[in-house]
Amino acid sequence: MTIDVRMLTVGPLQENAYLLRRAGDDRALLIDPGDEADRLLTVLDELGVRLEAILLTHTHFDHVGAVAPVARATGAPVYVPEIEKPILADINSYVRFPGFGPFEDWDAEQTVAGGERLALAGLDIDVIFTPGHSPGHVSYVVDGEEAMFSGDVLFQGSVGRTDLPGADWPTLAASIQRLLDTLPDETRVHPGHMGLTTLGRERATNPFLAELAQP
């Protein structure tokens, strides 16, 4: 099986939303629709695909700003980290930076906590609990495809911020170590910001991961 992944960089913080499907399938998933709902819906229309679900890695506003309009327009259920469900339902109370929003709240239909296997749009997707950047953060791994959608856990040459409420470096470091211990180096990392990378490349070159390698 080959997957078709479209990376759509949206909003003022240049967040990466991902449209994911089996190649040629008319069903798709949308991961972290952070902004520009009209653009995301246009791409769905142009591809002629039906959105089967919206998956969220976490609920920082730059990752969820387009959730409500896209969910309403498509009828797709929203999967949110369980302990962050209340944030999505009252999103503007958690936007701590001036000049952003307002955003529309959404009461997510489904929750994930890590450890689940989702069968959606013809894909089997493992949910991995990866807190540290946010308390409920999860990452999604497509079974058999060596593809991970890491949200704001791991970036090309960097890692997620830990100076935000509910974030801390030891927790994030443990989450990254868990990914390194359980997934092959060939795993393609589709991050929430910046470009694509692999776990192996980050293991070898990411300065933040060098700390994890210390005895």
Side-chain angles (χ1 to χ4, degrees):
M1 178 176 64
T2 302
I3 56 173
D4 177 359
V5 181
R6 310 291 175 104
M7 183 173 76
L8 302 160
T9 304
V10 298
L13 298 186
Q14 295 290 280
E15 185 265 341
N16 296 329
Y18 293 95
L19 187 64
L20 166 67
R21 61 173 175 157
R22 296 179 63 170
D25 205 306
D26 63 356
R27 299 167 295 168
L29 305 175
L30 184 60
I31 299 176
D32 286 358
D35 206 336
E36 301 183 42
D38 288 345
R39 178 184 168 201
L40 299 176
L41 291 169
T42 295
V43 173
L44 287 169
D45 288 341
E46 290 175 347
L47 292 173
V49 297
R50 174 177 60 84
L51 193 60
E52 190 159 300
I54 297 169
L55 307 181
L56 304 180
T57 60
H58 64 299
T59 55
H60 288 159
F61 70 87
D62 56 321
H63 289 252
V64 303
V67 166
V70 171
R72 187 171 55 251
T74 63
V78 176
Y79 289 69
V80 68
E82 183 175 21
I83 63 176
E84 297 188 20
K85 186 176 189 286
I87 297 175
L88 187 65
D90 187 22
I91 188 62
N92 293 295
S93 295
Y94 295 88
V95 179
R96 296 178 170 86
F97 301 96
F100 296 100
F103 304 103
E104 186 179 348
D105 301 334
W106 193 260
D107 187 15
E109 292 81 3
Q110 302 289 338
T111 61
V112 291
E116 300 91 349
R117 171 167 283 203
L118 308 177
L120 296 167
L123 301 169
D124 291 323
I125 299 174
D126 291 316
V127 185
I128 302 177
F129 186 45
T130 49
H133 175 70
S134 76
H137 198 297
V138 298
S139 297
Y140 297 100
V141 178
V142 183
D143 184 57
E145 293 293 327
E146 295 181 343
M148 174 175 66
F149 297 85
S150 65
D152 284 1
V153 168
L154 181 63
F155 302 127
Q156 188 179 65
S158 189
V159 296
R161 291 176 61 173
T162 55
D163 60 344
L164 301 171
D168 72 83
W169 169 242
T171 302
L172 182 61
S175 293
I176 295 171
Q177 188 65 63
R178 188 178 313 117
L179 296 175
L180 293 171
D181 289 344
T182 58
L183 298 173
D185 280 354
E186 295 76 21
T187 301
R188 298 185 304 281
V189 178
H190 300 75
H193 301 273
M194 300 185 287
L196 305 182
T197 185
T198 66
L199 273 182
R201 184 181 306 156
E202 296 313 303
R203 187 196 301 273
T205 64
N206 190 314
F208 293 91
L209 272 58
E211 178 179 328
L212 304 184
Q214 297 300 315

